[in-house]
Amino acid sequence: MIIDFSVENFFSIREKQTLSFLAEDNIRHLDDYYVTEIAGMRILKAGLIFGANASGKTTILNALDFFRKTTVLSKNAKTSDIELVPFLMDPDSRNRDTVFEVNFIQNNQTYFYQIVLNNRYIVSEVLKTRKSGKHVYKRSTDPDSQLSIVQWGSFSPLKDRYDLAVLSKNTLWNETVIAGFLKTNIEQPCLQEVSDWFLYYLNDIVMPSSDLTGYILDNIDNGNIDRKCLMPILNKADFNISNIMIDKRTIDFTGSAIVTPNIEDIVTKNTKGSFSSYNVFNLRFQHDNKEGEHFSDIKFKYESLGTQRYFGLAGILYLLIKNSCCFCLDELESSIHPELAKHFLLTFCINAK
């Protein structure tokens, strides 16, 4: 879980801004719904950012998303830019480094992680345990030689000096030690724990323009989402949906034949197949009228924008309740009724552990 996240000098953010999930000790009457206790701390299940247009709400979410990707994605060469944009509205900020910090909990262990960077390289990086205050590692970069220098602390995760040397050499100046670890053939529970948090606990940001349909269908197909459990969520929205029907076929474009999916189909990459293999889903909803009579199947394409949007959110809600994970939802209320946004949040807070 996230304890807090901070960002400084990123896009429209100049000074350090912190989004905290620590619950206030003097407010206890809503603990059963909105607070979970873990690692000796009271953590809020949800955080809401609200404010005027152009006040930086989306930038906070984009910052966390950028931080996540920067932490785990490796670079192919030293010459690859990080593509970071600092605060551009004054000359000092243009030349200052950007700072990301997060305090988080993974497997009941609490960590502090910080990276300082510019658009060319990682300036410094720190990972330490919060409870003991011991450093896992400190990393700095020599910009002249373009070399990363990693110093392992008393909570050193690697006892083999050869592994230490290999990991240090595999960490380019424009990528994090975590990214270096993920491309290095060594075993280390602590670094694996931290990388898993960034890879599997944090998810891609969901924008108002994000089409969640393919993502949800893939999760239904691989068993992460129970299609039957989506029905109560959709019925609560009063869409009169009595059944969700999904047909799937797989297309492999390695052959000589050209196969064109129908315009109503949803196409996703088949991660279990060949490099050029794709899943093609035909999604339809069955609706009931007020007398309980079934209408013919209605293809997903012809459903209202609100129904399409809430089908995706219903899948996200299921994943949030079933798993320990985090989704950044920008403009949750986009294309749906305010009461549905409220229902989404309350359903999550009441049912999530």
Side-chain angles (χ1 to χ4, degrees), residues 251-254 269-278:
I251 297 178
D252 194 332
F253 289 98
T254 55
K269 186 74 177 69
N270 181 15
T271 57
K272 298 179 181 178
S274 64
F275 180 75
S276 57
S277 181
Y278 292 83

Side-chain angles (χ1 to χ4, degrees), residues 16-60:
K16 182 177 180 179
Q17 301 294 321
T18 300
L19 176 63
S20 175
F21 289 86
L22 282 172
E24 295 183 18
D25 285 333
N26 60 339
I27 301 176
R28 297 272 180 170
H29 65 287
L30 296 175
D31 277 16
D32 290 344
Y33 299 110
Y34 303 125
V35 176
T36 185
E37 294 196 18
I38 183 170
M41 287 177 286
R42 298 171 62 248
I43 308 294
L44 295 169
K45 295 180 181 179
L48 275 68
I49 307 174
F50 59 94
N53 289 338
S55 60
K57 303 184 298 296
T58 298
T59 305
I60 293 287

Side-chain angles (χ1 to χ4, degrees), residues 113-150:
Y113 180 60
Q114 179 199 71
I115 57 174
V116 180
L117 68 162
N118 54 48
N119 62 356
R120 296 177 61 217
Y121 63 94
I122 307 293
V123 177
S124 66
E125 184 180 357
V126 173
L127 174 66
K128 64 180 180 180
T129 61
R130 280 171 47 98
K131 189 173 182 180
S132 65
K134 294 180 179 179
H135 282 86
V136 179
Y137 65 81
K138 292 182 181 179
R139 174 267 186 83
S140 59
T141 301
D142 182 348
D144 296 325
S145 64
Q146 298 185 359
L147 293 177
S148 301
I149 302 136
V150 183

Side-chain angles (χ1 to χ4, degrees), residues 195-257:
S195 61
D196 283 350
W197 188 83
F198 279 97
L199 285 168
Y200 305 119
Y201 176 79
L202 293 180
N203 288 274
D204 288 340
I205 185 173
V206 178
M207 305 295 290
S209 59
S210 299
D211 186 352
L212 295 169
T213 313
Y215 175 75
I216 300 305
L217 288 174
D218 277 338
N219 275 276
I220 292 174
D221 185 55
N222 61 30
N224 291 334
I225 294 177
D226 186 344
R227 176 176 25 175
K228 294 179 181 179
C229 292
L230 295 185
M231 290 302 304
I233 302 174
L234 294 174
N235 287 335
K236 192 68 177 180
D238 199 25
F239 291 132
N240 294 320
I241 297 172
S242 58
N243 196 14
I244 301 172
M245 289 156 288
I246 303 171
D247 295 324
K248 174 199 165 187
R249 67 186 192 278
T250 301
I251 297 178
D252 194 332
F253 289 98
T254 55
S256 57

